């Protein structure tokens, strides 16, 4: 899976005004990253490149949601990004550690809704993720450009 890290590194954008864009791969331990990429490849028809893209956007989304806890922004991932989110949160020990480190020890709950909201929140969320400095893989956010599957609660996503 070393090819995955090289591909991610080559896609990183640098904005001369703000410096390098943060890549979620840089905050996840290599063994955990490889495991979760493997889980995505096991459960979905993804190769290692697509799995890494989905996982990276899942982490960028979750870390942004944690950073904006209690702001009531109504953040919502796309359907594809939500697959990465689910892979992360289903590994409950690692997810609890992520919450401990990046969410002041508070568990960030996942509260999915049955009905998709049609309010443009997915693209708005992609812009907030980018504003927080994370790399945004825009094609992964446009599968549900107007809709999001998650409840816009203050302490959930």
């Amino acid at each position: 899976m070393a090819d995955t890290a090289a591909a991610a590194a080559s896609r990183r954008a640098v904005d001369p005004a703000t410096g390098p864009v943060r890549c979620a791969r840089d905050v996840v331990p290599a063994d955990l990253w490889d495991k979760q990429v493997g889980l995505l490849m096991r459960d979905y028809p993804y190769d290692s490149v697509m799995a890494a893209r989905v996982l990276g956007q899942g982490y960028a989304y979750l870390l942004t949601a944690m950073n904006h806890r209690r702001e009531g922004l109504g953040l919502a991932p796309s359907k594809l990004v939500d697959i990465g989110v689910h892979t992360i949160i289903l590994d409950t020990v690692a997810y609890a550690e992520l919450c401990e480190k990046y969410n002041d020890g508070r568990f960030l709950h996942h509260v999915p809704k049955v009905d998709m909201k049609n309010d443009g929140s997915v693209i708005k969320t992609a812009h907030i993720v980018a504003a927080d400095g994370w790399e945004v893989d825009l094609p992964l956010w446009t599968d549900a450009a107007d809709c999001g599957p998650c409840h816009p609660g203050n302490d959930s996503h």
Side-chain angles (χ1 to χ4, degrees):
M1 303 218 181
D3 292 342
T4 303
S10 69
R11 285 197 322 262
R12 286 187 203 148
V14 176
D15 180 341
T18 61
V21 173
R22 294 188 296 169
C23 177
R25 174 66 188 93
D26 295 336
V27 300
V28 180
D31 59 334
L32 177 60
W33 181 268
D34 290 345
K35 174 186 173 185
Q36 291 176 333
V37 164
L39 290 170
L40 280 165
M41 290 169 51
R42 180 194 73 190
D43 295 341
Y44 297 92
Y46 298 159
D47 61 16
S48 62
V49 172
M50 182 63 172
R53 289 174 62 199
V54 169
L55 186 63
Q57 294 301 282
Y59 272 107
Y61 168 77
L62 285 172
L63 293 168
T64 298
M66 290 176 186
N67 188 44
H68 292 280
R69 186 181 73 237
R70 290 191 289 244
E71 293 181 25
L73 297 178
L75 301 178
S78 69
K79 291 175 187 176
L80 284 172
V81 174
D82 202 39
I83 290 170
V85 169
H86 290 176
T87 298
I88 296 162
I89 66 175
L90 287 173
D91 192 344
T92 59
V93 172
Y95 181 60
E97 291 171 359
L98 186 77
C99 290
E100 180 68 32
K101 184 172 182 177
Y102 293 100
N103 203 37
D104 297 325
R106 294 186 175 102
F107 194 79
L108 181 66
H109 293 280
H110 183 55
V111 185
K113 296 188 84 164
V114 173
D115 297 322
M116 302 293 273
K117 53 187 178 169
N118 189 14
D119 62 0
S121 59
V122 172
I123 291 301
K124 180 183 103 175
T125 298
H127 288 289
I128 293 169
V129 170
D132 264 20
W134 294 106
E135 175 181 57
V136 171
D137 189 341
L138 198 55
L140 297 184
W141 290 88
T142 58
D143 71 320
D146 294 326
C147 303
C150 295
H151 176 66
N154 290 337
D155 286 325
S156 63
H157 63 90

